[in-house]
Amino acid sequence: SQQGEEDPQALSIQEGENATMNCSYKTSINNLQWYRQNSGRGLVHLILIRSNEREKHSGRLRVTLDTSKKSSSLLITASRAADTASYFCASFSGGYNKLIFGAGTRLAVHP
Amino acid sequence: EAGVTQFPSHSVIEKGQTVTLRCDPISGHDNLYWYRRVMGKEIKFLLHFVKESKQDESGMPNNRFLAERTGGTYSTLKVQPAELEDSGVYFCASSQVGTQGTQYFGPGTRLLVL
């Protein structure tokens, strides 16, 4: 079964606005990670939140994790045009090392 | 510290041809992974090396795909013969020894099979 399904699939906002992306997963996790992919570039690791954490901050990023609902959210505050990218949540499958990704959220930030 | 590098960045080949992708992980990382994203769909795991050994190859689609990591350093992924549905972006990632740590991804190789 697929884990890490993002919502919404696409999001278009103006610079300065906040962007919130949600992710749901199906199996138990030890941690959940968020990645960003800019057009033509690779995946950049943004933040990792452990299963015993509820919220984590990194700069303009805020990630929450609700293990009871098997969901996570990524909030980008005061967005910039450079934040335009696809964002993916990912979690490990069981006790293994392979990451399971969702289809991602395409974020467009307009100047 | 150099990140994960992949070569080539782009490859356009015809159906039936062979293509070999290369990945150089971050120095000292024992774990090396291959993933791919086909036609804008989700990124899917292909396989995982620990040093030169294949730890998990459950994501390899079929026997047209062959991955190697001789000497436990760089890895190659060969597709032979390539089919149209193999088109996509192939990502390599590496992580330090241990399990379920942060995986650092390369820029990917964009493969187009015509």
Side-chain angles (χ1 to χ4, degrees), chain A residues 5-57:
Chain A
E5 299 181 3
E6 283 89 350
D7 163 46
Q9 291 187 334
L11 184 59
S12 182
I13 59 174
Q14 297 295 126
E15 265 193 327
E17 294 180 339
N18 296 342
T20 300
M21 289 159 270
N22 303 299
C23 164
S24 61
Y25 58 93
K26 295 180 179 175
T27 62
S28 61
I29 60 171
N30 290 330
N31 61 57
L32 187 137
Q33 305 181 46
W34 284 88
Y35 287 83
R36 179 187 70 214
Q37 184 188 13
N38 294 84
S39 177
R41 298 187 179 181
L43 287 162
V44 174
H45 182 262
L46 296 177
I47 196 166
L48 180 152
I49 185 166
R50 302 189 188 284
S51 59
N52 61 354
E53 298 176 309
R54 292 296 168 260
E55 187 171 310
K56 197 165 184 178
H57 296 255

Side-chain angles (χ1 to χ4, degrees), chain A residues 85-110:
Chain A
S86 290
Y87 292 80
F88 300 88
C89 70
S91 57
F92 290 104
S93 172
Y96 303 101
N97 269 17
K98 59 184 179 185
L99 283 171
I100 306 298
F101 288 86
T105 293
R106 296 187 308 279
L107 173 66
V109 182
H110 302 284

